[in-house]
Amino acid sequence: MKNIKILSLVMALALAMGLLAGCGNTASQPEETNSVASGSMANTPAEENDEIVHTTLNITYADGSTKEFALECKPGDTLATAMLNAELVSKEEAEAGFITVLDGVEANYDADKAWWQLLDGEGQSSMVGCGEIVLEEGESYSFVYTIG
């Protein structure tokens, strides 16, 4: 009878310790949120990190008109990622780093030798694709619809 009482006490202690361990301090575990703020989805790349890189993208279209886009991204993000976040390019093109459709406008080389030329902030043609350009604060890039 004494063995049963001891065994019951040990099991009760083990159960209590297990419950306490399961309810322990969770401060080291990140808390996930799925909240929506101001009508936009929370946890966008620029909101996840206190540091935000701001850059400018200018697009010159086939008719010569231009648009300027203010892009925000996390430090270490590429131009392709920032354009994807701004919904200027598709995921497939951002991953490839080679742009044929920008802001809904297709440059079809096969049809009329058209392509999107990437220029740096000094107006020089980039030697790498947008998937290789890691953005820095205040930088500026341009895409120009080019034929030929």
Side-chain angles (χ1 to χ4, degrees), residues 2-3 7 25 40 42 61 63 68 76 81 88 95 108 112 114 118 124 133 143 145:
K2 187 176 177 183
N3 286 341
L7 183 58
N25 184 0
S40 64
Y61 300 91
D63 64 1
E68 182 176 285
T81 300
L88 294 172
E95 288 174 351
N108 187 337
D112 60 359
L118 175 58
Q124 300 297 314
I133 297 173
F143 273 97
Y145 187 95

Side-chain angles (χ1 to χ4, degrees), residues 86-142:
E87 299 179 350
L88 294 172
V89 297
S90 70
K91 181 179 179 181
E92 294 77 20
E93 290 201 351
E95 288 174 351
F98 184 80
I99 307 303
T100 59
V101 179
L102 182 60
D103 192 27
V105 178
E106 180 180 15
N108 187 337
Y109 189 82
D110 292 333
D112 60 359
K113 305 283 188 238
W115 56 288
W116 287 107
Q117 181 181 17
L118 175 58
L119 305 175
D120 63 21
E122 298 170 0
Q124 300 297 314
S125 188
S126 176
M127 301 304 285
V128 296
C130 60
E132 296 179 48
I133 297 173
V134 176
L135 295 176
E136 299 289 333
E137 179 67 30
E139 288 182 324
S140 178
Y141 290 92
S142 299

